[in-house]
Amino acid sequence: MRSLQFIRRGQPIALANVPPDRTLLQVLREDLGHTGTKEGCGEGDCGACTVVVGEAADGRMTYRAINACICLAHSVDGKALWTSEDLALDPLIQPAKGTGPGGDLHPVQQALVDHHASQCGFCTPGFVMSLFALYQNQVCRGQPVTREQAVRDLSGNLCRCTGYRPILDAAQQMHTLPRMQVDETELLQKMELLAQGHKAPKADLTYISPTTLDALLAARTAHPQAQLVAGCTDAGLWVTKQHRQFGQVLDVTRVAELRQITEAADHTAIGAAVRLQDAFDALVQRRPQLHTFATRFAGLPVRNAGTLGGNIANGSPIGDSMPLLIALRARVVLASPRGERTLALEDLYTGYRQNVLAPDEVLARILVPHPAHNELLRAYKVSKRFDDDISAVCLVLCLHLEDGAVRAASIGAGGVAAVPARARQAEDALTGQSWNETAVQQAAQALQTEFTPLSDMRASSAYRRTVLARLVQRFWLESLGHTEVSLESFRLEESA
Ligand SMILES: Cc1cc2nc3c(=O)[nH]c(=O)nc-3n(C[C@H](O)[C@H](O)[C@H](O)COP(=O)(O)OP(=O)(O)OC[C@H]3O[C@@H](n4cnc5c(N)ncnc54)[C@H](O)[C@@H]3O)c2cc1C
Ligand code: FES
Ligand code: FES
């Protein structure tokens, strides 16, 4: 089994013989005996297991809060790791120049104490870590923490007893305490030394983590039985919930070509291993109206670990990025030792969680066309909770309007079929028509008959069909400038 090294409390930690499917939480709690990091759900939902991973990028550190319960331990190899037990013990966390000595607690912890932001305390280590990442990324860079940002950064942490107000108050007050921050210069040196000293023995191929696309494709061909993983926010649950064992893992997240976002004249190319948070940031930069939709994909720790390529390759019919990308007419590039091929995203899928990827192929990047100047776009996610919930229905509508008529329509839908789907009948009902209520009604009717959604624990089939039609009406009203839409005022002829 391969060894694993990372920096913790300013020191390299070396662990021998770590199985490829051992989770980071198992390593912390069971192998190291550090039980401060809690286990609640074991599936990325509650945030009790949140830890912070530090990575060096372009000579500076980035800090990401992630869920240790579904993260494979080897994925933190060569990185820096903090748990709630480390903040007061890490010699690299020091008072900032010009401030007085820090207290016994890190400012994040002290702010939570000051605001009475913990009752039973089970969730608290997770909140501390999400706040620590926010503190490092925001407060230590001189930026204030807004309420909206605090809500976003704590979207993956559940508290069942305290209530969120005091926790959010603490988030907004932590900057008022004497500043403590990671000595990044020293940490970067330590990480560099770790990288130089740590060469994985070539013979050990239980956890393969290539850094180039060529090496990834060679490994995929040489080890077809290896479990391909990216951020493990789907695959991690196969280990923790289905007790599957991965004898060999092929991790795509260090492949340089797959981590890039590049801008071309007519599209943005997003590497398959780009983290969801970064991918959505790039999409929102071009289309600011996607901001809310982007924040409703899981919670921040899942978006910090999961990748856009993982979402697409996993192909869940209730996944959120696919309806969006289908509506944006995105194409996917698949790579194998035989070369590359490009296809429309909707053509990737052949059935429930099945796709056209050959055994030696990987998803390399996603090409997202830039918005046309007359693009009308809305993305709707309907779920039981606002934060960190899976869609019952996801509908994304994109129209190109010219002189009051619909020149082109593309509509992506999730939660309505066995695969993420393109709503071609509804598109046909709109294309070439004047953009008016009659066309809207026809598109709504088409959407209702085009799909036969399932009934499941998230929603009934009838509810899903009704919601699809209502969302088209909402889209119409929003296109007229209405921002507060009461669907009660609408009379829709329901299909039988
Ligand atoms: C708490 C929680 C909330 C979630 N909420 C949402 C949500 O709101 N919306 C939503 O859509 N999803 C949600 N998910 C699902 C998950 O986060 C996404 O599907 C995520 O994008 C998966 O990416 P990953 O990098 O973690 O993939 P992994 O879990 O590592 O892999 C998933 C699959 O994709 C394959 N794969 C990965 N990369 C490639 C590649 N480059 N080429 C070929 N195959 C590849 C793997 O082999 C595997 O079969 C949630 C998950 C959790 C745990
Ligand atoms: S234990 Fe609940 S998110 Fe990890
Ligand atoms: S303090 Fe009890 S769950 Fe948050």
Side-chain angles (χ1 to χ4, degrees):
M1 302 288 173
R2 201 170 131 176
S3 64
L4 161 64
Q5 290 193 24
F6 53 89
I7 304 278
R8 188 167 177 224
R9 299 179 191 169
Q11 295 300 321
I13 303 284
L15 300 167
N17 300 325
V18 179
D21 55 1
R22 194 117 180 107
T23 67
L24 183 56
L25 189 61
Q26 286 173 322
V27 164
L28 286 170
R29 290 179 60 86
E30 295 169 25
D31 300 347
L32 296 174
H34 291 169
T35 51
T37 305
K38 301 300 174 201
E39 178 164 21
C41 63
E43 59 184 42
D45 261 321
C46 73
C49 65
T50 308
V51 296
V52 171
V53 173
E55 268 183 90
D58 301 329
R60 70 184 254 184
M61 292 297 300
T62 60
Y63 303 86
R64 288 183 300 117
I66 60 157
N67 301 118
C69 66
I70 51 173
C71 163
L72 296 185
H74 282 288
S75 68
V76 301
D77 195 39
K79 300 178 186 174
L81 178 74
W82 293 269
T83 74
S84 62
E85 290 169 272
D86 303 330
L87 300 193
L89 297 176
D90 186 345
L92 296 185
I93 300 180
Q94 295 168 358
K97 283 199 181 73
T99 64
D104 291 339
L105 295 175
H106 188 278
V108 163
Q109 296 165 312
Q110 189 62 53
L112 287 167
V113 171
D114 293 348
H115 289 271
H116 309 286
S118 177
Q119 285 188 31
C120 82
F122 190 79
C123 69
T124 309
F127 275 97
V128 164
M129 295 319 292
S130 286
L131 288 177
F132 173 63
L134 178 60
Y135 187 86
Q136 281 296 137
N137 288 326
Q138 203 77 11
V139 177
C140 292
R141 296 193 171 130
Q143 308 285 333
V145 173
T146 63
R147 198 71 163 187
E148 188 196 0
Q149 175 124 42
V151 168
R152 187 199 79 151
D153 282 41
L154 295 174
S155 56
N157 294 89
L158 284 183
C159 176
R160 297 201 185 277
C161 30
T162 305
Y164 292 89
R165 187 194 46 74
I167 301 173
L168 295 169
D169 288 347
Q172 287 195 274
Q173 289 301 310
M174 55 195 188
H175 72 282
T176 60
L177 297 164
R179 170 100 51 96
M180 300 285 288
Q181 63 191 32
V182 173
D183 181 341
E184 294 190 348
T185 310
E186 200 172 337
L187 178 58
L188 285 165
Q189 282 170 3
K190 286 179 184 281
M191 288 172 76
E192 183 59 37
L193 282 175
L194 188 72
Q196 285 169 9
H198 180 41
K199 298 273 179 272
K202 279 210 162 39
D204 187 349
L205 295 171
T206 50
Y207 195 97
I208 312 169
S209 196
T211 53
T212 66
L213 183 56
D214 282 348
L216 170 66
L217 295 176
R220 185 103 168 111
T221 304
H223 307 283
Q225 75 291 348
Q227 175 62 50
L228 191 83
V229 302
C232 261
T233 61
D234 284 311
L237 276 72
W238 305 339
V239 175
T240 61
K241 295 291 149 177
Q242 297 173 8
H243 304 291
R244 276 200 235 170
Q245 292 181 332
F246 301 158
Q248 190 179 34
V249 167
L250 178 55
D251 177 342
V252 304
T253 56
R254 290 174 203 248
V255 175
E257 295 92 326
L258 269 52
R259 292 166 58 109
Q260 288 168 1
I261 299 180
T262 49
E263 296 292 343
D266 61 349
H267 68 265
T268 304
I270 302 177
V274 170
R275 307 285 175 187
L276 287 160
Q277 182 61 34
D278 299 335
F280 277 120
D281 281 350
L283 293 171
V284 169
Q285 208 167 353
R286 291 262 172 201
R287 295 176 168 92
Q289 67 270 46
L290 294 176
H291 171 75
T292 303
F293 184 78
T295 58
R296 296 201 53 208
F297 189 116
L300 184 62
V302 167
R303 296 198 299 275
N304 275 342
T307 62
L308 188 61
N311 198 228
I312 292 170
N314 196 47
S316 165
I318 44 175
D320 287 326
S321 68
M322 294 79 92
L324 171 65
L325 294 168
I326 287 171
L328 298 181
R329 295 177 188 250
R331 288 164 297 142
V332 286
V333 180
L334 311 182
S336 75
R338 289 163 285 112
E340 291 190 342
R341 55 179 175 143
T342 304
L343 53 153
L345 172 54
E346 58 270 27
D347 295 338
L348 183 68
Y349 305 109
T350 53
Y352 179 69
R353 290 182 189 265
Q354 287 179 340
N355 58 46
V356 301
L357 276 167
D360 63 350
E361 257 180 336
V362 298
L363 174 56
R365 57 193 178 278
I366 301 101
L367 313 179
V368 187
H370 295 329
H373 75 277
N374 53 358
E375 179 181 282
L376 182 59
L377 170 72
R378 287 288 186 284
Y380 302 113
K381 171 169 177 165
V382 177
S383 59
K384 289 188 175 153
R385 277 197 324 238
F386 188 85
D387 281 322
D388 207 358
D389 203 358
I390 304 288
S391 293
V393 170
C394 177
L395 187 70
V396 185
L397 305 107
C398 184
L399 304 185
H400 291 180
L401 296 178
E402 228 170 73
D403 302 327
V406 181
R407 172 57 62 114
S410 45
I411 302 175
V416 298
V419 294
R422 188 159 176 183
R424 293 198 186 271
Q425 291 177 23
E427 291 176 4
D428 290 346
L430 289 170
T431 308
Q433 305 297 319
S434 295
W435 180 230
N436 59 29
E437 202 156 0
T438 310
V440 169
Q441 290 284 356
Q442 278 165 2
Q445 297 293 347
L447 259 184
Q448 285 203 306
T449 49
E450 180 159 9
F451 300 111
T452 314
L454 290 177
S455 291
D456 64 13
M457 62 180 177
R458 293 201 172 82
S460 68
S461 174
Y463 174 82
R464 286 185 157 116
R465 290 164 92 200
T466 303
V467 159
L468 284 172
R470 295 283 193 261
L471 289 174
V472 182
Q473 290 189 319
R474 177 172 173 175
F475 179 54
W476 157 248
L477 287 174
E478 287 181 352
S479 79
L480 299 180
H482 295 277
T483 48
E484 300 283 331
V485 180
S486 165
L487 294 175
E488 291 303 312
S489 60
F490 276 89
R491 174 96 188 89
L492 178 81
E493 284 188 28
E494 311 282 355
S495 60

